[in-house]
Every structure is written in structure tokens, then in C-alpha cells.
Amino acid sequence: MAYQKLQAGRAWAVNKSDNTDIPNIGIAGPTGATTTGSTTQLIDSNATFQTSGVSVNMIIVNTTDNTQAVVIGVESDTTLTVSANIFAASGKNYVIYGGHQEGAVLYIGTAGNLKVRTVAGDDVTFQGVNTGTFFPVNVVKVFATGTSADNIIALW
């Protein structure tokens, strides 16, 4: 008889996002804070984005607002073009991650509906997922739109 065995080695509080996947937290890049606000760019006069190897498709997490965007252009050592307006003000803290992860199972802290993208690329909404549930589907994205469940933890 088969049984499910979950032995996670990593955990990360998921930011629900229609813009980006769950980042690969095992490949952390530069961190910092914006020094100038911009609706289309991350600007940090103290950064070294090009020197640090930041590239297109890396995922930026605004840790001040718990929002995410994708790097769509590396303009200079101090300026990145981003896929979503998450840095409109200065003083927003950020972490840049090395892109997309292979898929995570989830822990649902607060009950509700859960809209995800699976590792195979299927977008599906699971209705009425209970509080305290381990969600044994390999997912790469938890959508903001269509997800009412909260306090979601990704586990690898």
C-alpha cells in the first residue's frame, strides 16, 4: 500500500501573484532598497546588478509589500526594468532570486479557494481547501486572483 511522505527541507511564505511564479529561494541574489521610486523600474543607487549577475527572468520580491515582479531588462548596475509596478516609492526593500523553482507542495494556513499553476502548466482552482491542509500538488504559482486561501507556505 502506497502512502504519502512529506519531508521538506525548505519553506517559504508564498506571495500570491498573478505576475510571477514562486521564486527559487535556493538561488538568492542581491538585496537592497530602492533609492528612487519608479513604476517600471527598480532603482537602487547602491546596487551592482550587472556586476552581481542579475539577468532577465529573475524574480524580484518586494519584501516591504510582499509583492513580486520579473526582471525584464538589466539597464545598468543600478537600474532594472520590471514586469509590474511594485517599486513606485523609494525605500522599498527587495531580494532578487535566480528564477523559477521546480515545484512545491503547499501548506494552507487559512481556508479558502486556491488557484494554482501546476508544474505541467495547468491552471486550476481548488474550491474550499481547509485550514491546516498539506496540498500535495507540485505547483509553480499561486495566483492572487481566484485565491482566497491565505497564510500559504511553499515546501520543497
Side-chain angles (χ1 to χ4, degrees):
M1 179 176 177
Y3 66 96
Q4 179 181 345
K5 184 176 181 181
L6 176 64
Q7 292 181 336
R10 300 291 311 251
W12 189 70
V14 172
N15 297 316
K16 297 181 279 189
S17 175
D18 294 334
N19 304 317
T20 63
D21 291 347
I22 298 169
N24 183 346
I25 63 168
I27 306 175
T31 64
T34 57
T35 53
T36 303
S38 172
T39 59
T40 60
Q41 295 180 319
L42 184 162
I43 302 169
D44 179 355
S45 61
N46 301 308
T48 56
F49 296 131
Q50 289 176 325
T51 305
S52 299
V54 174
S55 61
V56 171
N57 293 325
M58 292 179 99
I59 296 175
I60 305 167
V61 176
N62 175 334
T63 58
T64 303
D65 300 339
N66 294 322
T67 53
Q68 298 178 182
V70 175
V71 175
I72 58 174
V74 181
E75 311 310 324
S76 68
D77 249 358
T78 60
T79 305
L80 301 174
T81 301
V82 296
S83 65
N85 177 9
I86 64 169
F87 294 111
S90 61
K92 301 287 184 175
N93 296 316
Y94 65 85
V95 177
I96 301 174
Y97 292 104
H100 309 275
Q101 47 83 27
E102 297 177 4
V105 297
L106 305 175
Y107 171 80
I108 310 302
T110 305
N113 297 338
L114 181 66
K115 182 176 180 185
V116 299
R117 177 166 295 146
T118 69
V119 293
D122 301 320
D123 293 349
V124 61
T125 302
F126 294 86
Q127 303 291 325
V129 179
N130 291 325
T131 295
T133 300
F134 284 96
F135 189 74
V137 176
N138 274 329
V139 300
V140 294
K141 178 186 281 191
V142 176
F143 289 89
T145 304
T147 297
S148 58
D150 212 354
N151 299 310
I152 302 167
I153 305 293
L155 301 164
W156 297 271

